[in-house]
């Protein structure tokens, strides 16, 4: 299990999502051909990817949806529970707190923090918005596996560094910057404007073709 | 310019972001070695990537930051203007409307749409929230290059299909599903829960190593 390529890992959450759709529709078995048609990936790619994890399939019978869903879930670490804190309780932070899907997957938002006095105390789907001055004490007193950063870049970098010193090991970073925390922490970035630039690239390229 | 690999395109917005940071700090020249240290990419990778676009660099003098920033911006289509509409004006939709960075890059949010009567009429950074029943007329009357979908998956799929019929060619999709629109439209997905699962995967893997 150690040598799984980054490309396969990148695809696993997508498999997981499709298997989730299938099981919620009550489908119990799926062939690599059917998955292939849904996911726009070749059937042989699917077989090869799933072989990384011991296969799960039987030739001619397809994959057991529920079983495969559970196994991929375990690989993705979703058989465990994670407690998340969101730093930055603006629209983006609150959007994440509201996102019910996470809770189904064992990720629970236990608090949000902000410096804006106008929203401190407000109840959200992820609990009460607390004053950011209470953040480090909260981290000391509560087991927090993930910190989501929905802050502008300079405060995000500063707080991430302090949180690392307080023992936080995993960051979900929405700030438009790399946190530069060095080794010993895990970071997953969501750079929204980079995603949008990929779209403007495609638009621009398609317009150039037309003209 | 036609045969640029997907991997290079994926890296361009990141180059653009770093060059933006350099120019805002007043740096006028940067070597591939310096960029390499900032970006954690090898210097030879950087030279190779930038050579795809004719290089821009002079041996021994490094790259001109402003020039390279502008050129990559052009490649990413950021020398043009885009008008964007956001469908779904909940926290996520409003977070995107508030995100000032986009406007600097020529992408202007001109309206938000929602079905929630409680927020229709509310003013946001992206203009007034309009009733979703006005969406198709609005699209007919206004030149809209990009529609951002910040809706649950079933309504997102349905509205995307109708918008395609109304001539919309580019979607920025935040719904937890593939839109399945087929050819003739450009889609860039932001699947937040897939990003989070990549983080839980890393956490789970690092915990397994420790134990």
């Amino acid at each position: 299990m150690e040598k799984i390529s980054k490309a396969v890992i990148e695809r696993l959450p997508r498999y997981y999502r499709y298997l989730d759709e299938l099981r919620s529709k009550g489908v119990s078995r799926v062939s690599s051909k059917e998955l292939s048609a849904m996911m726009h990936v070749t059937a042989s790619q699917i077989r090869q990817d799933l072989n990384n994890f011991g296969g799960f399939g039987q030739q001619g019978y397809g994959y057991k949806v529920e079983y495969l869903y559970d196994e991929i879930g375990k690989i993705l670490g979703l058989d465990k529970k994670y407690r998340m804190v969101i730093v930055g309780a603006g629209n983006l932070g609150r959007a994440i707190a509201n996102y019910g899907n996470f809770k189904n997957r064992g990720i629970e938002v236990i608090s949000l923090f902000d410096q804006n006095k106008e929203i401190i105390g407000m109840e959200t789907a992820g609990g009460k918005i607390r004053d950011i001055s209470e953040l480090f004490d909260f981290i000391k007193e509560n087991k927090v596996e993930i910190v989501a950063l929905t802050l502008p870049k300079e405060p995000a970098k500063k707080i991430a560094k302090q949180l690392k010193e307080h023992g936080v090991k995993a960051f979900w970073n929405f700030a438009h910057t790399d946190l530069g925390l060095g080794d010993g922490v895990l970071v997953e970035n969501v750079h929204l404007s980079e995603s949008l630039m990929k779209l403007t690239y495609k638009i621009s390229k398609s317009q150039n073709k037309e003209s």
Side-chain angles (χ1 to χ4, degrees), chain A:
Chain A
M1 291 257 311
E2 282 304 304
K3 293 275 181 184
I4 301 164
S5 78
K6 210 183 151 194
V8 177
I9 301 302
E10 292 274 327
R11 285 193 287 269
L12 282 187
R14 230 180 132 225
Y15 284 115
Y16 194 72
R17 173 158 57 86
Y18 277 97
L19 289 163
D20 192 19
E21 284 191 11
L22 287 168
R23 65 192 269 280
S24 66
K25 285 178 190 152
V27 178
S28 63
R29 279 183 184 276
V30 67
S31 67
S32 49
K33 210 173 146 187
E34 287 162 328
L35 262 181
S36 158
M38 284 175 76
M39 294 184 59
H40 307 286
V41 176
T42 66
S44 81
Q45 174 82 79
I46 288 173
R47 284 190 295 268
Q48 202 182 316
D49 281 353
L50 300 182
N51 274 340
N52 275 291
F53 311 103
F56 310 125
Q58 265 177 289
Q59 194 71 39
Y61 288 88
Y63 299 98
K64 283 186 199 163
V65 171
E66 193 72 38
Y67 178 73
L68 189 53
Y69 174 80
D70 286 341
E71 292 300 312
I72 292 181
K74 282 180 206 166
I75 293 158
L76 291 170
L78 299 174
D79 52 337
K80 293 167 192 154
K81 300 279 173 207
Y82 302 88
R83 307 213 300 171
M84 180 158 78
V85 148
I86 298 171
V87 185
N91 283 309
L92 185 57
R94 276 180 272 167
I96 292 169
N98 275 321
Y99 200 61
N101 249 346
F102 296 157
K103 200 161 180 178
N104 304 337
R105 283 163 191 190
I107 299 145
E108 190 187 3
V109 177
I110 57 168
S111 194
L112 291 87
F113 291 85
D114 208 287
Q115 60 173 2
N116 180 353
K117 304 282 179 213
E118 281 176 33
I119 61 171
I120 290 168
M122 193 188 276
E123 284 295 335
T124 75
K128 204 175 65 176
I129 300 175
R130 289 183 165 82
D131 191 316
I132 194 142
S133 65
E134 300 168 26
L135 175 62
F136 301 122
D137 283 340
F138 188 91
I139 293 284
K140 264 185 251 172
E141 285 156 23
N142 293 275
K143 199 169 174 300
V144 172
E145 280 86 6
I146 300 172
V147 174
L149 297 170
T150 49
L151 292 168
K153 54 188 178 179
E154 291 312 325
K157 271 186 183 175
K158 191 180 151 202
I159 285 172
K161 196 164 167 278
Q162 294 171 323
L163 286 168
K164 183 186 174 184
E165 286 159 11
H166 281 79
V168 173
K169 290 213 164 68
F171 293 90
W172 196 24
N173 174 41
F174 287 78
H176 188 54
T177 184
D178 291 335
L179 297 176
L181 294 174
D183 291 339
V185 289
L186 306 166
V187 180
E188 184 67 31
N189 294 306
V190 180
H191 291 317
L192 292 181
S193 59
E194 296 189 15
S195 163
L196 187 53
M197 282 185 234
K198 282 186 234 169
L199 187 57
T200 58
Y201 169 78
K202 290 179 195 170
I203 297 170
S204 171
K205 210 176 123 201
S206 76
Q207 287 171 344
N208 290 345
K209 262 187 207 162
E210 279 167 22
S211 60

